[in-house]
Amino acid sequence: SQGIVGEQMTWAFIVIGMLMAVAFILVQVRSPMLVSVGMYLPIETSFAIFAGGLFKGLLERAAEREKWDKEPRERAENAGTLLASGLIAGEAIIGILFAALAFADVELLQVSANPSYLPSLVCLGLVGGVLALVPRRLVRHGA
């Protein structure tokens, strides 16, 4: 807003962005908004979107391989969306809890003073497994 009010807007970048959006739509990119967001957010922020897309891709591949009808596909997608929403809400609650503890000057264990990526990859794999397997089980058992 300051660029518009202060008349310092770089309109060339806006026009380029608009043209890129039209190009993404014309070449039928599945999620043009995600591609656009991934272009300006740092990798630490956008990697979760990428990982979620991988897990959804695995589920879609399983649906094609097992020849699911429309209703089971929708049920699996809804279950995956609910699981992912719950993870997002849980992360927000934990973030608020940590902020409250930091505000209260509560000392926490320093488990991440010298982090290793292996436990993170294991946790990511477990989360991905839950996001891919739970919807499949719901479809198989007709829940």
Side-chain angles (χ1 to χ4, degrees):
S1 66
Q2 289 181 355
I4 294 173
V5 173
E7 296 180 9
Q8 298 175 348
M9 182 62 75
T10 310
W11 288 104
F13 290 141
I14 292 174
V15 171
I16 290 170
M18 290 167 41
L19 293 174
M20 285 178 60
V22 170
F24 287 155
I25 292 168
L26 290 176
V27 297
Q28 298 179 347
V29 171
R30 288 182 81 179
S31 298
M33 189 65 173
L34 292 180
V35 173
S36 301
V37 166
M39 292 173 94
Y40 73 86
L41 287 179
I43 189 71
E44 301 88 25
T45 305
S46 59
F47 184 75
I49 297 170
F50 172 74
L54 285 178
F55 297 137
K56 184 173 184 199
L58 290 173
L59 184 62
E60 286 177 354
R61 184 168 285 190
E64 288 175 12
R65 192 173 48 244
E66 297 173 11
K67 296 177 176 51
W68 293 353
D69 292 331
K70 184 179 179 183
E71 182 189 334
R73 279 181 190 257
E74 288 177 359
R75 195 167 53 234
E77 189 172 313
N78 290 339
T81 300
L82 286 172
L83 283 168
S85 298
L87 289 172
I88 292 167
E91 186 273 336
I93 291 169
I94 293 297
I96 291 169
L97 175 68
F98 279 6
L101 291 173
F103 182 75
D105 287 329
V106 174
E107 286 288 325
L108 298 175
L109 294 174
Q110 292 296 322
V111 294
S112 63
N114 191 8
S116 169
Y117 290 104
L118 185 59
S120 299
L121 291 174
V122 169
C123 288
L124 182 64
L126 290 172
V127 168
V130 168
L131 287 172
L133 294 176
V134 168
R136 282 184 74 186
R137 285 203 178 141
L138 288 174
V139 168
R140 285 184 182 161
H141 300 299

